């Protein structure tokens, strides 16, 4: 029975594993660097997004031990991005495991087996799509090439990863600062869970017992 990863998931799995092993763990700083300074170095990171229960301020690898705010923000963005990819990966895994396929792809298995069954044109289309997405969204916060400039200032984005671009915001602009931080924290936590989830599904698939977690066709 089909109980493997979707081709979309497979293409991103290396990035997901890296994020799960490094970016998530490095997104926090140890308590010893919590200071009152507001400079780029030795900044107080103890109340930054993601430093929350149960671990709180946690950086076992010491990647932000110097309190470098710019580096912390970069790692936070890396974690957010890979969390979003992992969430899509989990959904893709469940959907294809359930037997759902695009028209014309009914004979392509899900999971690792899809690597040997995808036509070359499909790979070309996927790579072209990923390239365009990366180019367009590489740094919306800074407004690359002046494409995201407007009367609001350097960029209408409020934070790295804010890709609304003045279009769909689901009432975001009406939320208070505390509500915005809470919603961002929810997304971050869901991404962390998804990184662990997709990694677990991949491991169990290779172990041959993923059907014990997900019955065939649910």
């Amino acid at each position: 029975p089909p109980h493997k990863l979707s081709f979309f998931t497979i293409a991103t799995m290396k990035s997901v594993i890296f994020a799960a092993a490094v970016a998530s763990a490095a997104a926090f700083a140890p308590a010893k660097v919590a200071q009152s300074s507001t400079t780029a170095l030795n900044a107080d990171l103890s109340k930054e997004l993601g430093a929350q229960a149960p671990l709180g301020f946690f950086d076992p690898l010491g990647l932000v031990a110097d309190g470098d705010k710019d580096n912390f923000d970069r790692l936070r963005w890396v974690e957010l991005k890979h969390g979003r990819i992992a969430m899509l990966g989990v959904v893709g895994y469940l959907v294809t495991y359930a037997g759902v396929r695009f028209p014309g792809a009914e004979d392509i298995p899900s999971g690792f087996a899809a690597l040997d069954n995808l036509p070359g044109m499909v790979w070309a289309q996927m790579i072209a799509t990923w390239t365009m997405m990366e180019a367009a969204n590489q740094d919306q916060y800074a407004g690359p090439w002046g494409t995201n400039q407007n009367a609001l200032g350097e960029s209408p984005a409020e934070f790295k990863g804010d890709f609304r671009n003045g279009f769909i915001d689901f009432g975001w602009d009406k939320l208070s600062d505390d509500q915005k931080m809470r919603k961002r924290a929810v997304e971050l936590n869901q991404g962390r869970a998804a990184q662990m989830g997709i990694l677990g599904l991949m491991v169990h698939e290779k172990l041959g017992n993923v059907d014990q977690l997900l019955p065939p066709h649910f």
Side-chain angles (χ1 to χ4, degrees), residues 21 24-30 55 57-63:
S24 292
F28 313 99
L55 296 179
F57 225 36
F58 186 61
D59 177 24
L61 300 180
L63 296 183

Side-chain angles (χ1 to χ4, degrees), residues 4-5 93 112-113 200-210:
K4 308 291 181 76
L5 291 169
Y93 193 108
F112 291 105
L201 289 170
M202 290 160 53
V203 169
H204 281 283
E205 180 186 341
K206 297 303 291 184
L207 291 175
N209 61 357
V210 72

Side-chain angles (χ1 to χ4, degrees), residues 2-159:
H3 52 271
K4 308 291 181 76
L5 291 169
S6 67
F7 60 79
F8 177 86
T9 301
I10 295 169
T12 59
M13 73 178 100
K14 290 184 179 180
S15 296
V16 172
I17 294 173
F18 176 80
V22 179
S24 292
F28 313 99
K32 65 181 181 180
V33 303
Q35 303 173 13
S36 60
S37 173
T38 58
T39 59
L41 291 176
N42 299 319
D44 181 2
L45 305 176
S46 61
K47 294 181 176 59
E48 291 292 329
L49 177 70
Q52 54 201 32
L55 296 179
F57 225 36
F58 186 61
D59 177 24
L61 300 180
L63 296 183
V64 290
D66 59 357
D68 188 334
K69 183 65 164 59
D70 291 338
N71 186 44
F72 179 91
D73 289 341
R74 183 186 67 81
L75 291 174
R76 170 63 70 244
W77 161 232
V78 169
E79 181 186 22
L80 176 62
K81 180 176 182 178
H82 285 84
R84 290 172 173 175
I85 293 172
M87 287 189 278
L88 290 173
V90 170
V91 172
Y93 193 108
L94 297 178
V95 168
T96 55
Y97 184 89
V100 178
R101 297 290 187 277
F102 285 114
E106 292 84 358
D107 295 332
I108 297 180
S110 53
F112 291 105
L115 287 172
D116 298 325
N117 290 271
L118 288 179
M121 184 55 66
V122 174
W123 280 111
Q125 292 173 353
M126 289 193 300
I127 293 173
T129 300
W130 299 331
T131 301
M132 289 189 295
M133 292 173 65
E134 283 293 314
N137 295 322
Q138 60 154 338
D139 194 357
Q140 289 291 345
Y141 186 77
W145 312 305
T147 58
N148 211 21
Q149 308 287 329
N150 62 24
L152 297 178
E154 183 181 49
S155 170
E158 294 186 12
F159 56 89

